[in-house]
Amino acid sequence: MVRTLNIVFILAVVIGAATVYDMKLAATKSAERVAELKRQIDEERDSIRHLKAEWSLLNKPDRLQSLVERYNDYLLLEPLDVKQIVTTEDLPARPVMLEPIGGSQMGGYAGSSAVIR
């Protein structure tokens, strides 16, 4: 009886040790995964900082002005006229969807409502 009880306790200790080792291994893998994700996040942040710096360099007004002067013959750009700036009320109404042929309601600019929102 004592021998059987000792064998059961030894088996319980071995199973417990295996379980603890498995949990430690899973925790180590999780920690490695977290470290890898943190490294990837740092790389992405560094890439974003690099792209923002490049974007600000590409959008410098003096650089854009030199590009406009260089390619003005091709682009045919003209200065903005004050008359080109309008409010949303000055824009024409958006057309209404037309009903299928045989429908009773007219659509488009001839429809009953001026603006569709």
Side-chain angles (χ1 to χ4, degrees), residues 6-117:
N6 285 340
I7 292 174
V8 168
F9 283 142
I10 290 173
L11 284 175
V13 168
V14 169
I15 291 172
T19 304
V20 168
Y21 178 76
D22 186 48
M23 291 170 58
K24 178 190 172 283
L25 190 62
T28 304
K29 286 183 181 180
S30 295
E32 289 173 356
R33 178 72 176 139
V34 167
E36 176 68 20
L37 289 174
K38 284 183 178 180
R39 186 190 61 78
Q40 287 177 356
I41 289 171
D42 289 341
E43 285 179 1
E44 291 294 326
R45 285 184 178 155
D46 189 41
S47 176
I48 289 170
R49 280 194 296 270
H50 177 74
L51 290 172
K52 283 183 178 179
E54 187 176 351
W55 180 256
S56 65
L57 181 68
L58 292 175
N59 282 328
K60 287 175 57 176
D62 55 341
R63 179 186 171 278
L64 293 175
Q65 182 64 36
S66 67
L67 288 174
V68 166
E69 290 170 0
R70 183 183 310 165
Y71 297 108
N72 195 29
D73 295 336
Y74 176 73
L75 297 174
L76 301 174
L77 297 175
E78 296 177 5
L80 182 66
D81 187 18
V82 178
K83 295 177 184 175
Q84 291 176 307
I85 302 173
V86 296
T87 62
T88 55
E89 289 80 23
D90 297 335
L91 295 174
R94 189 169 27 168
V96 178
M97 293 300 295
L98 296 174
E99 293 291 322
I101 295 177
S104 62
Q105 184 180 7
M106 292 183 66
Y109 290 108
S112 59
S113 64
V115 178
I116 300 295
R117 295 191 191 261

